Amino acid sequence: MFSYHKYFHYQDPKLRARVEGNEIIVSAEAYAKSVEILNENEDMVLEDNYFDMNAGEKRVRIISGEPVGLKVRSVYDI
């Protein structure tokens, strides 16, 4: 990205999340800035949270908490 963040026109990354064992797999169709993963109680601790990702998938290990009612968002959603 060769622009100030406030001038960058983000595309909808169409973020999705699914759980496999003790990992959450986040997928995006476009670049996603500051991806955040939350559960319904907002008490989940993850190996990595608030990360940037290109189109594709990223695996994030769950340290503690239950992945129930997952919400995934990025700067595009704010």
Side-chain angles (χ1 to χ4, degrees):
M1 178 175 0
F2 300 104
S3 173
Y4 291 109
H5 295 292
K6 67 181 182 178
Y7 297 124
F8 188 76
H9 296 282
Y10 293 96
Q11 294 179 350
D12 183 0
K14 297 183 177 124
L15 293 172
R16 294 181 307 279
R18 69 181 190 278
V19 178
E20 285 185 11
N22 69 338
E23 291 184 323
I24 298 172
I25 295 109
V26 179
S27 57
E29 293 183 15
Y31 173 74
K33 173 93 176 134
S34 300
V35 175
E36 173 187 49
I37 306 168
L38 296 169
N39 65 352
E40 64 185 19
N41 294 331
E42 296 186 7
D43 63 351
M44 194 166 49
V45 178
L46 302 172
E47 175 183 56
D48 191 9
N49 210 351
Y50 303 100
F51 51 86
D52 298 349
M53 68 180 286
N54 291 319
E57 291 187 345
K58 179 173 174 76
R59 292 180 170 267
V60 180
R61 192 167 53 95
I62 302 167
I63 307 275
S64 67
E66 293 296 321
V68 176
L70 288 178
K71 294 180 271 184
V72 183
R73 67 181 186 166
S74 68
V75 167
Y76 178 82
D77 301 307
I78 298 174

